[in-house]
């Protein structure tokens, strides 16, 4: 059994006794990575990353670099939220463990959102929320975002931050 599955199993057992945002099962490792060639950045995603880095720069904070492995993990979660038609942090610990093992992350956090129709609207919403703002302004080195629409054309967002 490889170490990722061991970590996932331990985390599953540890957190199964805690309350969760969802009753869904933990994502399997294969669903966390989407082949890079299938992940083309949408204009709204590029704008979100730019707005976050602009905000950080205005505060004198370092800009964050995007990273394809983060985008892939963010995409898998956004796709999950679209499939279940619910915004959530479900299975965050699995995403975090994966990025720690495969991207060298020391720290992982995420912001999610639903229903905003522009990059500016979603970033402003995150900035109005203390916990989301803390993530945007945190001590991180890399980030990426995924934005996908549901059947009704409403956007779902997952923005993941890591520190290497």
């Amino acid at each position: 059994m490889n170490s990722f599955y061991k970590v996932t199993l331990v985390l599953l057992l540890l957190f199964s006794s805690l309350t969760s945002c969802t009753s869904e099962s933990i994502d399997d490792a294969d669903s966390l990575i989407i082949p890079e060639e299938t992940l083309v950045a949408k204009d709204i995603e590029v704008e979100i990353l730019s707005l976050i880095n602009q905000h950080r720069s205005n505060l004198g904070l370092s800009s964050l670099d995007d990273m394809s492995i983060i985008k892939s993990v963010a995409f898998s979660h956004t796709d999950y939220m679209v499939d279940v038609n619910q915004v959530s942090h479900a299975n965050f610990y699995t995403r975090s463990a994966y990025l720690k093992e495969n991207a060298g992350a020391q720290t992982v956090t995420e912001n999610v959102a639903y229903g905003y129709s522009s990059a500016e609207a979603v970033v402003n919403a995150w900035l109005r929320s203390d916990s989301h703002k803390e993530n945007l302004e945190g001590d991180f080195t890399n980030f990426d975002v995924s934005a996908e629409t549901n059947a009704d054309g409403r956007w779902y967002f997952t923005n993941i931050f890591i520190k290497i």
Side-chain angles (χ1 to χ4, degrees):
M1 180 182 275
N2 75 33
S3 60
F4 175 74
Y5 287 107
K6 290 178 188 174
V7 169
T8 302
L9 181 59
V10 168
L11 288 172
L12 177 61
L13 293 173
L14 177 66
F15 292 108
S16 66
S17 63
L18 303 174
T19 45
S20 173
C21 297
T22 182
S23 61
E24 297 295 321
S25 63
I26 297 295
D27 291 338
D28 63 40
D30 294 336
S31 70
L32 288 176
I33 289 295
I34 308 301
E36 279 183 51
E37 61 273 7
T38 65
L39 294 175
V40 177
K42 297 173 188 68
D43 290 342
I44 194 169
E45 295 168 337
V46 172
E47 189 175 351
I48 289 168
L49 298 178
S50 177
L51 287 169
I52 291 170
N53 270 337
Q54 181 180 15
H55 174 77
R56 290 177 61 86
S57 178
N58 291 342
L59 297 175
L61 300 171
S62 62
S63 293
L64 304 177
D65 294 323
D66 59 348
M67 185 181 254
S68 60
I69 191 170
I70 300 171
K71 179 157 193 68
S72 180
V73 172
F75 176 83
S76 70
H77 184 61
T78 305
D79 193 47
Y80 164 81
M81 291 191 300
V82 168
D83 285 348
V84 299
N85 203 32
Q86 180 180 12
V87 66
S88 76
H89 291 284
N91 308 318
F92 171 74
Y93 296 104
T94 302
R95 290 188 294 287
S96 177
Y98 185 88
L99 289 168
K100 287 176 179 177
E101 183 169 320
N102 295 283
Q106 298 172 16
T107 307
V108 180
T109 192
E110 73 182 11
N111 289 341
V112 295
Y114 161 76
Y116 297 94
S117 59
S118 71
E120 186 174 5
V122 72
V123 171
N124 285 338
W126 284 331
L127 289 171
R128 287 190 304 270
S129 162
D130 290 340
S131 61
H132 294 95
K133 182 178 180 181
E134 185 177 320
N135 290 341
L136 268 73
E137 297 174 358
D139 182 21
F140 300 105
T141 55
N142 301 84
F143 71 156
D144 222 314
V145 67
S146 172
E148 298 296 325
T149 55
N150 68 6
D152 298 325
R154 295 189 185 202
W155 288 99
Y156 283 83
F157 305 88
T158 303
N159 186 197
I160 298 177
F161 302 83
I162 71 169
K163 180 176 183 178
I164 297 178

